[in-house]
Amino acid sequence: MKSPVRIGLVGALHQELAAVLARLPDERRQRVGGRDFWVGHWHGHEVVAVLSRIGKVAAATTATALIERFGVGRIVFTGVAGALGAGLRVGDVVVASGFVQHDMDASPLFPRHEVPLYGRARFDTDPALSAALADAARAVLAHADEMLGAQAVAEFGLRAPRVHQGLVASGDRFVATAAESAALRQALPDALAVEMEGAAVAQVCHDYGVPFAALRTFSDRADDAAHADFTRFIDQVASRYSAAVLEAYFSKL
């Protein structure tokens, strides 16, 4: 039975959106707010795919348009992130259980990280949607070597990639030094990953009561080597993960 709910698929980078659009047989472009929204079907399910662009404001604008203009009832975000937690490796995947803005600080009026007038710092993702996405990711990563090919596996040192679930931190800066990464771990010891959009989408979805889930592939350790081969990693690994995980998710929906 096909889901009656229209699903929004969001990526922050062109390569990932291209990988998603390649799976839609009938996408139709609609331009809203300076963005191209692609309306189509995936395994018969209605979807709207869009490039959010980078940063929290761009992500919030995109999520609002998906809900207000296109009437989506769920939003799934895919992309890359820097790993913060111990034991996390490049090529692993995190499915967010919640988001926090690591650069939100309205103190002394409000506690650090708390969003003013919300009484909270953390915005949780939807448990059922996140669990389904995590199951799909595990199924894909079990055959990562076959999907990516020996060259990509060797080039990026991928070894038995795993799926993690936990808190993700968002902020409007690219974390690319060991000092910044250490500071984030000290401030937010529970955070597994850092990126630039998810917390904004989570807050918008909270406001509208729309289920939200996010999957991020670790492209780096958010340290001094974070910029190395970033674009190539997205092309060869992260975009393929995203498309394959969504394929697995929609095939079971």
Side-chain angles (χ1 to χ4, degrees):
M1 181 178 178
K2 302 307 179 187
S3 170
V5 177
R6 178 178 275 187
I7 301 173
L9 305 177
V10 187
L13 297 163
H14 286 283
Q15 297 95 322
E16 292 191 318
L17 185 65
V20 167
L21 292 180
R23 305 295 182 105
L24 306 184
D26 60 346
E27 73 272 13
R28 294 173 287 104
R29 187 182 72 168
Q30 296 185 35
R31 192 157 181 84
V32 176
R35 288 165 176 75
D36 290 328
F37 292 79
W38 299 88
V39 181
H41 293 82
W42 199 328
H43 281 289
H45 303 286
E46 280 195 78
V47 300
V48 183
V50 61
L51 181 73
S52 69
R53 304 178 186 176
I54 296 170
K56 290 186 295 181
V57 173
T61 299
T62 303
T64 303
L66 278 171
I67 296 167
E68 288 278 5
R69 182 65 68 92
F70 293 94
V72 303
R74 300 175 193 166
I75 293 179
V76 175
F77 202 114
T78 66
V80 293
L84 291 176
L88 306 179
R89 299 194 298 255
V90 170
D92 283 1
V93 162
V94 60
V95 175
S97 60
F99 282 93
V100 62
Q101 295 184 52
H102 66 75
D103 55 356
M104 172 61 73
D105 189 354
S107 60
L109 299 177
F110 300 90
R112 185 182 179 190
H113 300 132
E114 183 176 307
V115 179
L117 307 183
Y118 279 80
R120 64 168 66 202
R122 175 172 172 150
F123 290 84
D124 291 332
T125 56
D126 183 74
L129 183 56
S130 297
L133 203 62
D135 287 344
R138 292 187 190 98
V140 168
L141 264 60
H143 305 283
D145 291 5
E146 301 170 25
M147 178 181 62
L148 300 177
Q151 181 176 342
V153 169
E155 179 178 350
F156 296 103
L158 307 180
R159 303 185 307 278
R162 297 177 297 160
V163 177
H164 309 270
Q165 291 182 266
L167 182 66
V168 176
S170 305
D172 283 316
R173 71 174 188 267
F174 184 75
V175 178
T177 70
E180 286 180 295
S181 184
L184 280 177
R185 283 195 294 272
Q186 183 174 11
L188 295 165
D190 295 336
L192 298 184
V194 59
E195 41 88 288
M196 299 179 69
E197 296 85 23
V201 179
Q203 185 173 333
V204 170
C205 287
H206 170 271
D207 288 348
Y208 282 92
V210 170
F212 172 55
L215 177 142
R216 294 279 188 168
T217 301
F218 293 132
S219 58
D220 54 77
R221 284 287 312 174
D223 56 17
D224 302 289
H227 64 285
D229 295 320
F230 182 74
T231 301
R232 183 165 173 77
F233 180 86
I234 295 169
D235 284 333
Q236 298 299 313
V237 180
S239 63
R240 298 183 186 184
Y241 276 0
S242 295
V245 170
L246 290 172
E247 171 70 20
Y249 167 72
F250 280 113
S251 68
K252 296 278 178 75
L253 190 60

